[in-house]
Structures are given as structure tokens and as C-alpha cells.
Amino acid sequence: MSIGESSTPLGKVRGLGSAQHGGEHWLTERVTSIALLLLGTWLLASLLLLPKLDYRTLVEWLRAPSGAIPMTLFVIIGFKHALDGVKVTLDDYVHDEGPRFAWNTLLLFLAVGGGAIALYAIARIAFGAVA
Amino acid sequence: MAVSILHRATGIALSFAGLGILAWWLFAIASGPDAYATFTKAATHPLGLVVLVGLTWSFFQHLLSGIRHLVMDTGAAFELGINKTFAILTIVGSVLLTAAVWFYFLGVAK
């Protein structure tokens, strides 16, 4: 049995699972999925219910708190959930420590960078910097 | 098992293409009417529509198989018959929901 494997459930949850940090990541993925179930339904329903999807309508929609706040939550939780999910897939296929660290770092940068762009855009619209 | 693989595949599609397009879309709105026009032009191009329909299906498939996994996390629905029915229902559901959404979008002609 190599490091990272444990024969007992207790050993696994105390940080010796395949990702070496226990059950927290697993649980976070599930909690964010429930949030995204609600927020994703909100986003889709909003897009379907908006009278038009033209520029003006979208700016007014995202300028109002009822649009800007859930969209902010969707972006933060969505990028977090995506990062967690892709990481699990990555960890399943990349076994060597070095490449695994490199890919995970790249993923983290992509998620944080993408999230920052999206959040900046929402803030710009919500705080009225867009005509 | 196929549905479990679909869950990963659609999750990866949503993570990269889905969130990438979401960020582009928001940034385009924040950048003004011209940038948004560029986005709309790409999005309504036949190829753009294929991508968006694909992502809509991925969204519903991932959502429904995600619910299935949450149910299975509680230890339920492992019986072979129920499990298989549930898996097939996620595919039927995702296809029907995607069709409904796009009939609405294109039919109501926004």
C-alpha cells in the first residue's frame, strides 16, 4: 500500500484519500453543485423571461441588484465548482507528482483569471460605468 | 456507466467552453454596444449556435446526472433496474429540455 492509500475509512477522511487532503474537497463539490442547481435555473429562467436579448435589455438587467447579485454568485460558485470538478478528473489521470502540480497550478490560474474577468465585467455594469 | 462518463465530459465542456463564453459575454456587455455586437455575431453564426445548443444540452445533462449522483451519494438508487432507468431518464430529460429551450429562443425570435 503506497502513501495516499489507507485501509480504514477514518484514515481516508483524515487526509489520506487519493488527493491527500481528505473529504473536504468532495463535500465542497456537492455543496456548490446544489447552489448551482438554483443559480443555473435562475440564469436560464432569466434569459428566457427577458423580453429581448439585446444590449440595452441586458445592461439594465445586470445593473439591477436582482441581476448583478445572483450573477456574481453564479460566477464565483461556478468557477469554484468547475475548478474542483476538473481537478478531480486531472488527478485521476495524471499520477506523477510534478506534472500533476503543474497542471493543477495552470487550472487554478485559469479559473481565478476567468472568474476575475467575469466579476470585473459585472461590477463595471452594476456600478454604472456602462452607458 | 455511460452517463457517469457523460457527467465528466459535459462538466469539462461547461468548465472551459461554457465559463469561457460566459466571461466573454459579460465582458462584451461591459465593453459597450460594439463589443456586444461582435459577440452576437459570433453567437448567432451557425457554428456559434451549434456550440450554444451543445452547451445547453451539456448544462441539462450535467444538472440531471448531477442530481442522480447526489441521490446515489445518499446510498439510494443503486438497484440495477432503478439505476438504469434513472440514467436513461437523465438523457431523455436533457434532450427534451434542450429542445424546449431552443424552440422557445428561436420560436419567440428574440
Side-chain angles (χ1 to χ4, degrees):
Chain A
M1 200 176 286
S2 65
I3 294 172
E5 285 175 48
S6 173
S7 57
T8 67
L10 182 62
K12 283 185 177 163
V13 297
R14 291 177 80 187
L16 296 171
S18 63
Q20 273 110 67
H21 53 62
E24 198 180 327
H25 184 272
W26 182 90
L27 192 60
T28 304
E29 221 183 337
R30 267 115 198 111
V31 174
T32 51
S33 79
I34 296 166
L36 286 171
L37 186 61
L38 302 172
L39 291 164
T41 307
W42 163 80
L43 177 58
L44 191 72
S46 301
L47 291 177
L48 288 170
L49 292 174
L50 283 172
K52 287 174 85 182
L53 290 179
D54 65 342
Y55 182 71
R56 190 107 307 277
T57 312
L58 290 174
V59 168
E60 268 162 38
W61 170 55
L62 287 175
R63 184 172 286 172
S66 57
I69 293 170
M71 186 59 95
T72 304
L73 289 174
F74 182 81
V75 166
I76 296 171
I77 300 171
F79 273 94
K80 169 68 178 155
H81 183 79
L83 178 64
D84 287 344
V86 177
K87 180 189 160 48
V88 169
T89 311
L90 187 82
D91 288 346
D92 273 352
Y93 294 105
V94 183
H95 301 291
D96 293 333
E97 214 40 64
R100 185 188 267 204
F101 177 77
W103 280 110
N104 274 313
T105 304
L106 179 67
L107 265 187
L108 179 66
F109 285 11
L110 271 178
V112 174
I117 291 172
L119 290 177
Y120 166 81
I122 299 169
R124 204 175 140 89
I125 300 162
F127 296 139
V130 177
Chain B
M1 181 159 143
V3 168
S4 176
I5 293 168
L6 273 185
H7 190 72
R8 282 208 162 167
T10 53
I12 288 168
L14 290 166
S15 296
F16 291 97
L19 289 179
I21 291 172
L22 178 79
W24 176 20
W25 179 63
L26 289 170
F27 199 81
I29 298 170
S31 304
D34 291 345
Y36 187 66
T38 309
F39 176 87
T40 325
K41 206 176 161 204
T44 52
H45 184 278
L47 216 66
L49 284 175
V50 169
V51 171
L52 290 179
V53 171
L55 283 172
T56 310
W57 173 76
S58 296
F59 172 79
F60 283 125
Q61 180 60 40
H62 194 83
L63 188 152
L64 293 174
S65 51
I67 292 173
R68 175 171 173 261
H69 283 141
L70 285 175
V71 170
M72 289 173 71
D73 283 340
T74 69
F78 273 89
E79 300 84 350
L80 208 55
I82 296 172
N83 191 284
K84 202 171 175 189
T85 309
F86 205 165
I88 292 168
L89 277 180
T90 66
I91 298 178
V92 174
S94 67
V95 170
L96 287 179
L97 285 166
T98 306
V101 163
W102 282 93
F103 270 120
Y104 184 82
F105 268 138
L106 299 173
V108 178
K110 291 206 212 187

mmCIF file of all heavy atoms in Angstrom, chain A residues 22-56:
data_model
loop_
_atom_site.group_PDB
_atom_site.id
_atom_site.type_symbol
_atom_site.label_atom_id
_atom_site.label_comp_id
_atom_site.label_asym_id
_atom_site.label_seq_id
_atom_site.Cartn_x
_atom_site.Cartn_y
_atom_site.Cartn_z
ATOM 1 N N GLY A 22 -8.242 14.488 2.259
ATOM 2 C CA GLY A 22 -9.472 14.133 2.922
ATOM 3 C C GLY A 22 -10.747 14.478 2.193
ATOM 4 O O GLY A 22 -10.749 14.634 0.972
ATOM 5 N N GLY A 23 -11.840 14.555 2.956
ATOM 6 C CA GLY A 23 -13.168 14.600 2.365
ATOM 7 C C GLY A 23 -13.706 15.991 2.073
ATOM 8 O O GLY A 23 -14.794 16.133 1.532
ATOM 9 N N GLU A 24 -12.947 17.033 2.411
ATOM 10 C CA GLU A 24 -13.499 18.375 2.305
ATOM 11 C C GLU A 24 -13.776 18.783 0.857
ATOM 12 O O GLU A 24 -14.797 19.392 0.549
ATOM 13 C CB GLU A 24 -12.556 19.375 2.958
ATOM 14 C CG GLU A 24 -13.259 20.679 3.264
ATOM 15 C CD GLU A 24 -12.342 21.692 3.919
ATOM 16 O OE1 GLU A 24 -11.455 21.277 4.672
ATOM 17 O OE2 GLU A 24 -12.530 22.889 3.651
ATOM 18 N N HIS A 25 -12.829 18.447 -0.024
ATOM 19 C CA HIS A 25 -12.983 18.780 -1.438
ATOM 20 C C HIS A 25 -14.236 18.126 -2.013
ATOM 21 O O HIS A 25 -15.013 18.742 -2.734
ATOM 22 C CB HIS A 25 -11.736 18.312 -2.188
ATOM 23 C CG HIS A 25 -11.712 18.671 -3.632
ATOM 24 N ND1 HIS A 25 -12.270 17.859 -4.602
ATOM 25 C CD2 HIS A 25 -11.224 19.755 -4.273
ATOM 26 C CE1 HIS A 25 -12.106 18.431 -5.779
ATOM 27 N NE2 HIS A 25 -11.483 19.576 -5.613
ATOM 28 N N TRP A 26 -14.427 16.882 -1.637
ATOM 29 C CA TRP A 26 -15.578 16.111 -2.090
ATOM 30 C C TRP A 26 -16.875 16.788 -1.663
ATOM 31 O O TRP A 26 -17.802 16.964 -2.452
ATOM 32 C CB TRP A 26 -15.482 14.694 -1.489
ATOM 33 C CG TRP A 26 -16.569 13.760 -1.908
ATOM 34 C CD1 TRP A 26 -16.566 12.917 -2.983
ATOM 35 C CD2 TRP A 26 -17.829 13.546 -1.246
ATOM 36 N NE1 TRP A 26 -17.743 12.212 -3.035
ATOM 37 C CE2 TRP A 26 -18.521 12.573 -1.989
ATOM 38 C CE3 TRP A 26 -18.419 14.081 -0.103
ATOM 39 C CZ2 TRP A 26 -19.787 12.120 -1.627
ATOM 40 C CZ3 TRP A 26 -19.686 13.639 0.254
ATOM 41 C CH2 TRP A 26 -20.351 12.671 -0.501
ATOM 42 N N LEU A 27 -16.907 17.204 -0.399
ATOM 43 C CA LEU A 27 -18.116 17.821 0.146
ATOM 44 C C LEU A 27 -18.370 19.186 -0.497
ATOM 45 O O LEU A 27 -19.505 19.517 -0.855
ATOM 46 C CB LEU A 27 -17.980 17.962 1.670
ATOM 47 C CG LEU A 27 -19.262 18.330 2.406
ATOM 48 C CD1 LEU A 27 -20.335 17.274 2.173
ATOM 49 C CD2 LEU A 27 -19.009 18.481 3.900
ATOM 50 N N THR A 28 -17.305 19.978 -0.673
ATOM 51 C CA THR A 28 -17.437 21.299 -1.298
ATOM 52 C C THR A 28 -18.046 21.176 -2.685
ATOM 53 O O THR A 28 -18.900 21.965 -3.086
ATOM 54 C CB THR A 28 -16.053 21.968 -1.412
ATOM 55 O OG1 THR A 28 -15.485 22.025 -0.119
ATOM 56 C CG2 THR A 28 -16.160 23.376 -1.969
ATOM 57 N N GLU A 29 -17.597 20.162 -3.427
ATOM 58 C CA GLU A 29 -18.114 19.949 -4.772
ATOM 59 C C GLU A 29 -19.628 19.726 -4.744
ATOM 60 O O GLU A 29 -20.350 20.219 -5.606
ATOM 61 C CB GLU A 29 -17.426 18.717 -5.358
ATOM 62 C CG GLU A 29 -17.030 18.869 -6.797
ATOM 63 C CD GLU A 29 -16.425 17.585 -7.335
ATOM 64 O OE1 GLU A 29 -15.919 16.756 -6.546
ATOM 65 O OE2 GLU A 29 -16.468 17.411 -8.556
ATOM 66 N N ARG A 30 -20.090 19.003 -3.741
ATOM 67 C CA ARG A 30 -21.525 18.737 -3.643
ATOM 68 C C ARG A 30 -22.309 19.964 -3.198
ATOM 69 O O ARG A 30 -23.396 20.228 -3.698
ATOM 70 C CB ARG A 30 -21.784 17.568 -2.690
ATOM 71 C CG ARG A 30 -21.848 16.265 -3.438
ATOM 72 C CD ARG A 30 -20.717 15.313 -3.060
ATOM 73 N NE ARG A 30 -20.541 14.272 -4.047
ATOM 74 C CZ ARG A 30 -19.472 14.191 -4.840
ATOM 75 N NH1 ARG A 30 -18.506 15.090 -4.768
ATOM 76 N NH2 ARG A 30 -19.362 13.209 -5.696
ATOM 77 N N VAL A 31 -21.759 20.700 -2.247
ATOM 78 C CA VAL A 31 -22.469 21.893 -1.766
ATOM 79 C C VAL A 31 -22.567 22.932 -2.880
ATOM 80 O O VAL A 31 -23.630 23.518 -3.118
ATOM 81 C CB VAL A 31 -21.766 22.485 -0.513
ATOM 82 C CG1 VAL A 31 -22.412 23.802 -0.102
ATOM 83 C CG2 VAL A 31 -21.828 21.492 0.642
ATOM 84 N N THR A 32 -21.467 23.143 -3.618
ATOM 85 C CA THR A 32 -21.522 24.114 -4.714
ATOM 86 C C THR A 32 -22.475 23.629 -5.811
ATOM 87 O O THR A 32 -23.104 24.439 -6.483
ATOM 88 C CB THR A 32 -20.130 24.379 -5.326
ATOM 89 O OG1 THR A 32 -19.507 23.132 -5.644
ATOM 90 C CG2 THR A 32 -19.243 25.156 -4.378
ATOM 91 N N SER A 33 -22.595 22.307 -5.967
ATOM 92 C CA SER A 33 -23.494 21.802 -7.015
ATOM 93 C C SER A 33 -24.948 22.143 -6.690
ATOM 94 O O SER A 33 -25.734 22.462 -7.576
ATOM 95 C CB SER A 33 -23.326 20.291 -7.208
ATOM 96 O OG SER A 33 -24.010 19.560 -6.215
ATOM 97 N N ILE A 34 -25.287 22.094 -5.399
ATOM 98 C CA ILE A 34 -26.662 22.439 -5.002
ATOM 99 C C ILE A 34 -26.916 23.929 -5.238
ATOM 100 O O ILE A 34 -27.965 24.324 -5.753
ATOM 101 C CB ILE A 34 -26.916 22.054 -3.526
ATOM 102 C CG1 ILE A 34 -26.803 20.532 -3.356
ATOM 103 C CG2 ILE A 34 -28.294 22.533 -3.073
ATOM 104 C CD1 ILE A 34 -26.706 20.073 -1.919
ATOM 105 N N ALA A 35 -25.917 24.759 -4.914
ATOM 106 C CA ALA A 35 -26.045 26.197 -5.165
ATOM 107 C C ALA A 35 -26.207 26.469 -6.658
ATOM 108 O O ALA A 35 -27.020 27.298 -7.074
ATOM 109 C CB ALA A 35 -24.825 26.933 -4.611
ATOM 110 N N LEU A 36 -25.448 25.743 -7.465
ATOM 111 C CA LEU A 36 -25.500 25.971 -8.913
ATOM 112 C C LEU A 36 -26.794 25.458 -9.540
ATOM 113 O O LEU A 36 -27.236 25.961 -10.570
ATOM 114 C CB LEU A 36 -24.294 25.319 -9.598
ATOM 115 C CG LEU A 36 -22.976 26.062 -9.381
ATOM 116 C CD1 LEU A 36 -21.813 25.248 -9.902
ATOM 117 C CD2 LEU A 36 -23.002 27.431 -10.049
ATOM 118 N N LEU A 37 -27.393 24.469 -8.893
ATOM 119 C CA LEU A 37 -28.703 23.991 -9.337
ATOM 120 C C LEU A 37 -29.688 25.159 -9.280
ATOM 121 O O LEU A 37 -30.453 25.407 -10.214
ATOM 122 C CB LEU A 37 -29.131 22.842 -8.421
ATOM 123 C CG LEU A 37 -30.402 22.072 -8.733
ATOM 124 C CD1 LEU A 37 -30.292 21.402 -10.088
ATOM 125 C CD2 LEU A 37 -30.652 21.026 -7.663
ATOM 126 N N LEU A 38 -29.638 25.901 -8.172
ATOM 127 C CA LEU A 38 -30.530 27.054 -8.009
ATOM 128 C C LEU A 38 -30.119 28.203 -8.923
ATOM 129 O O LEU A 38 -30.937 28.772 -9.652
ATOM 130 C CB LEU A 38 -30.512 27.527 -6.550
ATOM 131 C CG LEU A 38 -30.925 26.489 -5.499
ATOM 132 C CD1 LEU A 38 -30.687 27.008 -4.099
ATOM 133 C CD2 LEU A 38 -32.388 26.123 -5.681
ATOM 134 N N LEU A 39 -28.827 28.553 -8.906
ATOM 135 C CA LEU A 39 -28.353 29.713 -9.670
ATOM 136 C C LEU A 39 -28.432 29.466 -11.181
ATOM 137 O O LEU A 39 -28.747 30.372 -11.953
ATOM 138 C CB LEU A 39 -26.924 30.063 -9.264
ATOM 139 C CG LEU A 39 -26.774 30.631 -7.848
ATOM 140 C CD1 LEU A 39 -25.328 30.589 -7.392
ATOM 141 C CD2 LEU A 39 -27.314 32.050 -7.783
ATOM 142 N N GLY A 40 -28.152 28.242 -11.603
ATOM 143 C CA GLY A 40 -28.227 27.908 -13.026
ATOM 144 C C GLY A 40 -29.664 28.004 -13.521
ATOM 145 O O GLY A 40 -29.927 28.500 -14.618
ATOM 146 N N THR A 41 -30.599 27.529 -12.694
ATOM 147 C CA THR A 41 -32.014 27.639 -13.041
ATOM 148 C C THR A 41 -32.413 29.108 -13.128
ATOM 149 O O THR A 41 -33.121 29.522 -14.051
ATOM 150 C CB THR A 41 -32.882 26.917 -11.981
ATOM 151 O OG1 THR A 41 -32.389 25.591 -11.826
ATOM 152 C CG2 THR A 41 -34.331 26.876 -12.404
ATOM 153 N N TRP A 42 -31.909 29.906 -12.174
ATOM 154 C CA TRP A 42 -32.188 31.351 -12.205
ATOM 155 C C TRP A 42 -31.673 31.975 -13.507
ATOM 156 O O TRP A 42 -32.391 32.733 -14.171
ATOM 157 C CB TRP A 42 -31.533 32.053 -11.005
ATOM 158 C CG TRP A 42 -31.441 33.533 -11.216
ATOM 159 C CD1 TRP A 42 -32.445 34.436 -11.038
ATOM 160 C CD2 TRP A 42 -30.318 34.270 -11.711
ATOM 161 N NE1 TRP A 42 -32.020 35.692 -11.395
ATOM 162 C CE2 TRP A 42 -30.719 35.619 -11.811
ATOM 163 C CE3 TRP A 42 -29.021 33.918 -12.100
ATOM 164 C CZ2 TRP A 42 -29.863 36.617 -12.276
ATOM 165 C CZ3 TRP A 42 -28.163 34.908 -12.559
ATOM 166 C CH2 TRP A 42 -28.584 36.241 -12.635
ATOM 167 N N LEU A 43 -30.427 31.654 -13.876
ATOM 168 C CA LEU A 43 -29.814 32.263 -15.067
ATOM 169 C C LEU A 43 -30.607 31.913 -16.333
ATOM 170 O O LEU A 43 -30.939 32.774 -17.140
ATOM 171 C CB LEU A 43 -28.356 31.814 -15.199
ATOM 172 C CG LEU A 43 -27.599 32.306 -16.438
ATOM 173 C CD1 LEU A 43 -27.581 33.827 -16.494
ATOM 174 C CD2 LEU A 43 -26.164 31.770 -16.442
ATOM 175 N N LEU A 44 -30.926 30.622 -16.459
ATOM 176 C CA LEU A 44 -31.644 30.185 -17.647
ATOM 177 C C LEU A 44 -33.043 30.795 -17.697
ATOM 178 O O LEU A 44 -33.475 31.300 -18.738
ATOM 179 C CB LEU A 44 -31.724 28.654 -17.670
ATOM 180 C CG LEU A 44 -32.214 28.094 -18.992
ATOM 181 C CD1 LEU A 44 -31.132 28.247 -20.047
ATOM 182 C CD2 LEU A 44 -32.599 26.631 -18.850
ATOM 183 N N ALA A 45 -33.734 30.791 -16.547
ATOM 184 C CA ALA A 45 -35.078 31.365 -16.489
ATOM 185 C C ALA A 45 -35.025 32.850 -16.835
ATOM 186 O O ALA A 45 -35.874 33.355 -17.578
ATOM 187 C CB ALA A 45 -35.681 31.151 -15.106
ATOM 188 N N SER A 46 -34.005 33.555 -16.338
ATOM 189 C CA SER A 46 -33.878 34.986 -16.624
ATOM 190 C C SER A 46 -33.709 35.221 -18.114
ATOM 191 O O SER A 46 -34.365 36.090 -18.701
ATOM 192 C CB SER A 46 -32.670 35.575 -15.892
ATOM 193 O OG SER A 46 -32.801 35.387 -14.511
ATOM 194 N N LEU A 47 -32.830 34.448 -18.743
ATOM 195 C CA LEU A 47 -32.588 34.618 -20.174
ATOM 196 C C LEU A 47 -33.858 34.336 -20.977
ATOM 197 O O LEU A 47 -34.142 34.984 -21.971
ATOM 198 C CB LEU A 47 -31.453 33.698 -20.639
ATOM 199 C CG LEU A 47 -30.055 34.054 -20.122
ATOM 200 C CD1 LEU A 47 -29.039 33.025 -20.582
ATOM 201 C CD2 LEU A 47 -29.634 35.448 -20.596
ATOM 202 N N LEU A 48 -34.637 33.346 -20.499
ATOM 203 C CA LEU A 48 -35.873 33.004 -21.213
ATOM 204 C C LEU A 48 -36.949 34.062 -20.993
ATOM 205 O O LEU A 48 -37.755 34.332 -21.878
ATOM 206 C CB LEU A 48 -36.390 31.632 -20.747
ATOM 207 C CG LEU A 48 -35.587 30.417 -21.221
ATOM 208 C CD1 LEU A 48 -36.053 29.155 -20.508
ATOM 209 C CD2 LEU A 48 -35.708 30.230 -22.731
ATOM 210 N N LEU A 49 -36.952 34.684 -19.811
ATOM 211 C CA LEU A 49 -38.033 35.617 -19.477
ATOM 212 C C LEU A 49 -37.753 37.048 -19.914
ATOM 213 O O LEU A 49 -38.681 37.847 -20.016
ATOM 214 C CB LEU A 49 -38.316 35.578 -17.964
ATOM 215 C CG LEU A 49 -38.921 34.261 -17.457
ATOM 216 C CD1 LEU A 49 -39.025 34.261 -15.941
ATOM 217 C CD2 LEU A 49 -40.290 34.012 -18.076
ATOM 218 N N LEU A 50 -36.479 37.393 -20.154
ATOM 219 C CA LEU A 50 -36.189 38.748 -20.616
ATOM 220 C C LEU A 50 -36.916 38.984 -21.944
ATOM 221 O O LEU A 50 -36.934 38.101 -22.801
ATOM 222 C CB LEU A 50 -34.674 38.940 -20.820
ATOM 223 C CG LEU A 50 -33.824 39.151 -19.570
ATOM 224 C CD1 LEU A 50 -32.346 39.132 -19.930
ATOM 225 C CD2 LEU A 50 -34.175 40.461 -18.875
ATOM 226 N N PRO A 51 -37.515 40.175 -22.102
ATOM 227 C CA PRO A 51 -38.289 40.427 -23.321
ATOM 228 C C PRO A 51 -37.437 40.302 -24.594
ATOM 229 O O PRO A 51 -37.893 39.797 -25.616
ATOM 230 C CB PRO A 51 -38.801 41.856 -23.132
ATOM 231 C CG PRO A 51 -37.982 42.453 -22.036
ATOM 232 C CD PRO A 51 -37.555 41.310 -21.173
ATOM 233 N N LYS A 52 -36.194 40.788 -24.515
ATOM 234 C CA LYS A 52 -35.273 40.670 -25.649
ATOM 235 C C LYS A 52 -33.884 40.398 -25.102
ATOM 236 O O LYS A 52 -33.635 40.605 -23.926
ATOM 237 C CB LYS A 52 -35.241 41.981 -26.462
ATOM 238 C CG LYS A 52 -36.483 42.225 -27.291
ATOM 239 C CD LYS A 52 -36.427 43.593 -27.944
ATOM 240 C CE LYS A 52 -35.653 43.552 -29.258
ATOM 241 N NZ LYS A 52 -35.569 44.900 -29.870
ATOM 242 N N LEU A 53 -32.981 39.933 -25.966
ATOM 243 C CA LEU A 53 -31.602 39.728 -25.510
ATOM 244 C C LEU A 53 -30.684 40.750 -26.169
ATOM 245 O O LEU A 53 -29.543 40.451 -26.506
ATOM 246 C CB LEU A 53 -31.145 38.299 -25.822
ATOM 247 C CG LEU A 53 -31.831 37.204 -24.989
ATOM 248 C CD1 LEU A 53 -31.335 35.825 -25.388
ATOM 249 C CD2 LEU A 53 -31.607 37.413 -23.493
ATOM 250 N N ASP A 54 -31.199 41.954 -26.363
ATOM 251 C CA ASP A 54 -30.358 42.986 -26.971
ATOM 252 C C ASP A 54 -29.519 43.689 -25.897
ATOM 253 O O ASP A 54 -29.693 43.463 -24.691
ATOM 254 C CB ASP A 54 -31.205 43.992 -27.758
ATOM 255 C CG ASP A 54 -32.137 44.783 -26.849
ATOM 256 O OD1 ASP A 54 -32.366 44.323 -25.701
ATOM 257 O OD2 ASP A 54 -32.632 45.840 -27.261
ATOM 258 N N TYR A 55 -28.617 44.533 -26.359
ATOM 259 C CA TYR A 55 -27.647 45.176 -25.469
ATOM 260 C C TYR A 55 -28.303 45.929 -24.308
ATOM 261 O O TYR A 55 -27.970 45.732 -23.140
ATOM 262 C CB TYR A 55 -26.764 46.107 -26.299
ATOM 263 C CG TYR A 55 -25.706 46.784 -25.469
ATOM 264 C CD1 TYR A 55 -24.630 46.074 -24.974
ATOM 265 C CD2 TYR A 55 -25.820 48.141 -25.166
ATOM 266 C CE1 TYR A 55 -23.675 46.683 -24.194
ATOM 267 C CE2 TYR A 55 -24.859 48.759 -24.387
ATOM 268 C CZ TYR A 55 -23.791 48.030 -23.901
ATOM 269 O OH TYR A 55 -22.860 48.635 -23.123
ATOM 270 N N ARG A 56 -29.263 46.796 -24.646
ATOM 271 C CA ARG A 56 -29.905 47.642 -23.642
ATOM 272 C C ARG A 56 -30.597 46.823 -22.543
ATOM 273 O O ARG A 56 -30.454 47.091 -21.353
ATOM 274 C CB ARG A 56 -30.906 48.556 -24.367
ATOM 275 C CG ARG A 56 -31.509 49.653 -23.549
ATOM 276 C CD ARG A 56 -31.005 51.043 -23.868
ATOM 277 N NE ARG A 56 -29.564 51.201 -23.852
ATOM 278 C CZ ARG A 56 -28.839 51.409 -22.744
ATOM 279 N NH1 ARG A 56 -29.400 51.418 -21.563
ATOM 280 N NH2 ARG A 56 -27.541 51.583 -22.809
#
